Amino acid sequence: MTIHHLSVLIHRQAEKYGDKVALKYRDYSKEQWVPITWRQFSDNVRQAASALVAFGVKEFENVGIFSQNKPESFFVDFACFANRAVTIPLYATSSPEQARYIINDAHLRILFVGEQFQYDAAISVQGYCHTLEQIVIYDPTVVKDPRDKNSIYFDEFMKRGEGLPYNEVVEARTARASFDDLSNILYTSGTTGEPKGVMLHHYNWQEAMRTHHERLYVMSDQDVSMNFLPLTHVFERGWCYVCINEGIQICINLRPADIQKTIREVRPNYMCSVPRFWEKVYIAVQQKIAKESGVKKALMLNALKVGKAYNVDYLSKGKEPPTWLKLKYKFFDSTILSTLRRVVGVENGKFFPTAGAAVSDEVCEFTHACGINMMVGYGLTESTATVSCFPVKEFVIGSVGEVMPDLEVKIGENSEILLRGKTITTGYYHKTEATAKAIDKEGWFHTGDSGYLEGRTLFLKERLKDLFKTSNGKYISPQAIETKLAVDQYFEQVAVIADRYKFVSALIVPNYKAVGAYAQSKGIRYGGMDELLLNPEIKELFQTRMDTLQQQFANYERIKRFTLLPEPFSMERGELTNTLKLRRNIVEQNYKELIDKMYQE
């Protein structure tokens, strides 16, 4: 398969597919999905590329995109590549301070913003960003600050490229484009310290597209993918580039909160997600089963049991299921399991890439028992996303799949996973010390994750930097405990506390709706969530469920004390990254009094 440079990829696909739909997005004013053909996609990229020249964008200049997922971001992204410019995506949820840091670190002169939140954040820090000259606004309904005389809307920007007045300049730049050119600087959200800009070159993406084409051989240009995770995230960005390269239609979910609705409207073949999406599906099904009784409940439980035997115990291991199991599975699949998949909106699914956090074995077995091919993987921004993933058919639950073709992986000191290959970054933008610390003299990138290999199958153990050591000298893996609790309907967020303390404790954000329903069923009266979470019966509920969920852990690993929080952890208070990972140091700072109280004798 020919892997085209990103500067020309859209145009080559337009020549091949013409009026076939490339992108779709939901127009909320009309409540309908709007198609964009490959030819229209190509035309918009050409016009945006010409407009960039009109606005003085030079080769190798950094251009910022601060927006939620929108078609315009794809247009600008590929228009920059045509000009040999570098795109710097910012998370749509970034705070003004986070935006200011990236704008200044990357010396951004032009910043594209999505909606009101991003515009307001950008305007509020523009005075502190001495390189920032131009803000371009995607959403025409954004209300500009009365003092803002310089920002323009996207349609005004595009008009500068009408008639392709600078097309010759763009074509000349594209002709000079090389796979050695820098394509993106992706800023890690940083659970500790300030963000680092990971430099990815065009050859990184070229290799990623090649190896995914080889590994994911069932993909077809007749397929549809739902774009749900933010394009700022290397996982979604890489996946979308793969889909574009394969000619797959991408349906853009503009509002993350709407995914349960939009997935049922689109019914995609693929969708990247983090484990929490599937944890919620698992919890919802378990709740549904718990409410049933008699024959119906028995049938549902039996369907999952048969589904696990068929898909996990046999097919995942490359074994042929016996005839009696095939017949049983055919019955349950055509009745209960197919209905479940249809309710979720994934009945057309070929596979669903899942990464970004640990996946519990229970949830993984459940999805496969339902006939949902959750493709667990592992990757980093520094590795151009995928390091390993489940193969299309045979896989090992508990692993993060097989290492991608031609990527070197070895296990170093303290079981640290080391990587080397064409998808690995050359380093961090403007951070030579951090680069030297991450990439050794032999070219091995040190991930900070520990694991082990069985052949080419990779297993994760824990994040080395997140390992806690209690004052008694015991090592604790907080992710293992947090992942275990996440499959329970009453737990929404958990922050395990243990580092340098005598025993393990936890700050728990309950599922407020589930706790409220439980209180109602027990006749517990309360004035507000603060009052309810102090109720001894509610505390006993959580203690009982934790005792059950923690049985596999050694005594010293188990949570001994906990506090139920009436408010969730938030990005606004710095407790979560833009990818919803815990910033443990900030959590410990913000909740110091509550934590100290748990350790009082």
Side-chain angles (χ1 to χ4, degrees):
M1 183 185 194
T2 302
I3 307 294
H4 297 290
H5 193 281
L6 294 176
S7 62
V8 297
L9 176 58
I10 305 304
H11 310 315
R12 298 295 86 83
Q13 295 295 63
E15 291 166 6
K16 182 177 181 180
Y17 294 113
D19 292 328
K20 185 174 178 284
V21 175
L23 307 172
K24 273 187 179 180
Y25 67 96
R26 203 169 198 283
D27 186 330
Y28 281 88
S29 64
K30 299 177 181 176
E31 288 297 312
Q32 64 184 32
W33 286 86
V34 178
I36 298 170
T37 68
W38 283 103
R39 186 171 286 116
Q40 290 170 327
F41 193 176
S42 173
D43 290 344
N44 276 290
V45 169
R46 289 188 191 279
Q47 190 171 335
S50 184
L52 285 171
V53 178
F55 279 84
V57 169
K58 303 288 193 295
E59 291 181 76
F60 311 118
E61 181 175 340
N62 294 337
V63 176
I65 302 175
F66 183 16
S67 174
Q68 62 282 82
N69 298 346
K70 294 175 79 70
E72 293 87 346
S73 291
F74 281 109
F75 303 156
V76 172
D77 207 29
F78 287 94
C80 285
F81 298 150
N83 280 295
R84 301 182 81 192
V86 181
T87 57
I88 319 289
L90 286 74
Y91 282 97
T93 51
S94 295
S95 67
E97 179 59 24
Q98 289 169 328
R100 180 198 63 77
Y101 176 86
I102 293 174
I103 291 167
N104 286 336
D105 191 62
H107 304 301
L108 298 181
R109 187 173 63 85
I110 295 181
L111 181 68
F112 291 83
V113 300
E115 296 182 351
Q116 194 72 51
F117 175 86
Q118 294 85 27
Y119 169 78
D120 291 343
I123 281 294
S124 70
V125 299
Q126 189 171 19
Y128 304 97
C129 303
H130 302 300
T131 60
L132 185 58
E133 298 175 4
Q134 184 68 65
I135 295 173
V136 182
I137 309 163
Y138 289 157
D139 186 351
T141 66
V142 166
V143 178
K144 291 200 287 186
D145 188 300
R147 296 164 295 180
D148 178 14
K149 306 300 181 186
N150 196 41
S151 298
I152 62 171
Y153 294 101
F154 191 68
D155 59 351
E156 297 174 86
F157 165 79
M158 290 291 275
K159 281 178 183 176
R160 297 287 292 274
E162 278 183 357
L164 307 181
Y166 300 98
N167 194 45
E168 287 185 9
V169 176
V170 176
E171 287 187 350
R173 291 176 175 180
T174 299
R176 291 191 292 270
S178 163
F179 281 106
D180 290 328
D181 290 347
L182 188 62
S183 60
N184 301 116
I185 302 171
L186 304 182
Y187 281 82
T188 59
S189 46
T191 55
T192 58
E194 62 185 25
K196 298 193 290 285
V198 179
M199 297 186 290
L200 295 180
H201 292 73
H202 283 277
Y203 67 77
N204 294 128
W205 294 119
Q206 178 193 28
E207 179 71 356
M209 290 188 285
R210 183 189 72 80
T211 55
H212 281 78
H213 177 76
E214 181 179 328
R215 171 66 57 83
L216 309 177
Y217 53 86
V218 296
M219 298 177 76
S220 160
D221 58 10
Q222 300 304 306
D223 294 339
V224 175
S225 180
M226 172 67 85
N227 165 217
F228 165 46
L229 296 181
L231 281 166
T232 307
H233 198 300
V234 70
F235 183 21
E236 186 67 53
R237 174 172 290 265
W239 176 252
C240 284
Y241 288 172
V242 167
C243 287
I244 288 169
N245 188 63
E246 299 287 340
I248 291 170
Q249 181 188 127
I250 297 173
C251 293
I252 306 167
N253 183 75
L254 276 66
R255 299 176 183 173
D258 287 352
I259 187 59
Q260 291 185 343
K261 176 182 180 181
T262 55
I263 195 173
R264 286 193 290 267
E265 291 175 339
V266 172
R267 302 190 178 275
N269 305 106
Y270 316 104
M271 183 183 77
C272 289
S273 69
V274 291
R276 192 59 183 156
F277 177 87
W278 297 111
E279 287 167 359
K280 289 185 175 182
V281 173
Y282 170 80
I283 289 167
V285 172
Q286 296 302 317
Q287 289 174 329
K288 170 73 174 169
I289 293 172
K291 290 177 183 177
E292 299 293 348
S293 60
V295 175
K296 193 170 183 180
K297 183 173 186 176
L299 282 170
M300 293 176 76
L301 289 170
N302 204 14
L304 291 175
K305 183 179 178 181
V306 170
K308 178 184 177 297
Y310 184 83
N311 289 313
V312 178
D313 298 342
Y314 280 89
L315 292 186
S316 77
K317 295 177 173 62
K319 298 191 295 186
E320 180 74 13
T323 302
W324 65 265
L325 183 56
K326 286 181 182 178
L327 292 172
K328 273 191 169 185
Y329 182 73
K330 186 176 181 180
F331 168 73
F332 283 120
D333 188 57
S334 62
T335 53
I336 294 171
L337 299 178
S338 62
T339 300
L340 189 153
R341 294 194 296 270
R342 191 163 55 252
V343 168
V344 178
V346 296
E347 71 271 26
N348 298 325
K350 286 189 173 181
F351 57 80
F352 295 95
T354 305
V359 180
S360 71
D361 290 354
E362 294 97 320
V363 172
C364 193
E365 286 185 351
F366 161 78
T367 55
H368 285 279
C370 294
I372 299 169
N373 191 5
M374 175 200 277
M375 184 175 280
V376 177
Y378 162 69
L380 308 95
T381 308
E382 291 89 342
S383 60
T384 320
T386 317
V387 169
S388 62
C389 69
F390 280 7
V392 172
K393 291 184 178 179
E394 297 175 26
F395 51 87
V396 180
I397 287 181
S399 76
V400 287
E402 288 187 13
V403 175
M404 293 299 284
D406 300 321
L407 178 65
E408 292 182 82
V409 177
K410 76 172 182 178
I411 307 301
E413 291 183 20
N414 300 316
S415 301
E416 184 176 15
I417 298 167
L418 309 182
L419 309 172
R420 189 166 66 181
K422 291 183 180 178
T423 56
I424 306 304
T425 181
T426 55
Y428 302 108
Y429 192 65
H430 289 163
K431 286 183 167 53
T432 53
E433 286 186 17
T435 298
K437 188 176 180 182
I439 303 173
D440 65 29
K441 292 178 181 179
E442 294 181 348
W444 289 100
F445 173 75
H446 292 241
T447 64
D449 294 318
S450 74
Y452 60 95
L453 285 164
E454 290 184 359
R456 291 284 286 178
T457 300
L458 182 63
F459 295 80
L460 295 185
K461 290 165 71 175
E462 59 262 321
R463 178 76 181 161
L464 289 173
K465 292 178 181 176
D466 276 352
L467 271 183
F468 291 161
K469 188 177 183 181
T470 66
S471 60
N472 296 321
K474 300 290 189 181
Y475 282 97
I476 306 294
S477 174
Q479 303 99 321
I481 303 168
E482 292 161 357
T483 300
K484 193 68 178 175
L485 299 183
V487 301
D488 188 279
Q489 62 172 307
Y490 290 101
F491 292 80
E492 191 64 35
Q493 297 171 311
V494 180
V496 166
I497 310 296
D499 205 23
R500 302 178 305 278
Y501 290 102
K502 289 183 292 184
F503 55 83
V504 181
S505 69
L507 299 170
I508 298 171
V509 175
N511 181 321
Y512 301 122
K513 186 177 178 180
V515 172
Y518 178 85
Q520 186 177 9
S521 71
K522 297 295 182 181
I524 301 172
R525 297 179 179 275
Y526 60 97
M529 193 52 65
D530 296 60
E531 181 184 333
L532 177 61
L533 297 182
L534 293 174
N535 186 290
E537 287 188 61
I538 299 300
K539 287 189 171 183
E540 180 61 27
L541 167 70
F542 278 86
Q543 185 64 63
T544 301
R545 299 186 86 84
M546 278 198 298
D547 288 346
T548 301
L549 291 164
Q550 294 186 102
Q551 288 178 4
Q552 73 181 67
F553 297 112
N555 187 56
Y556 68 84
E557 294 177 294
R558 297 176 188 174
I559 296 167
K560 301 295 190 295
R561 293 182 184 172
F562 63 92
T563 300
L564 301 176
L565 303 178
E567 289 184 351
F569 300 125
S570 75
M571 285 185 283
E572 289 74 21
R573 294 193 298 272
E575 295 153 1
L576 298 174
T577 70
N578 287 295
T579 54
L580 303 182
K581 292 185 178 74
L582 279 173
R583 283 196 171 102
R584 297 183 187 278
N585 57 334
I586 303 297
V587 168
E588 290 198 23
Q589 288 174 24
N590 291 355
Y591 293 92
K592 187 178 186 303
E593 287 185 19
L594 286 178
I595 292 169
D596 288 346
K597 191 174 180 181
M598 288 192 288
Y599 288 95
Q600 289 173 0
E601 294 296 339

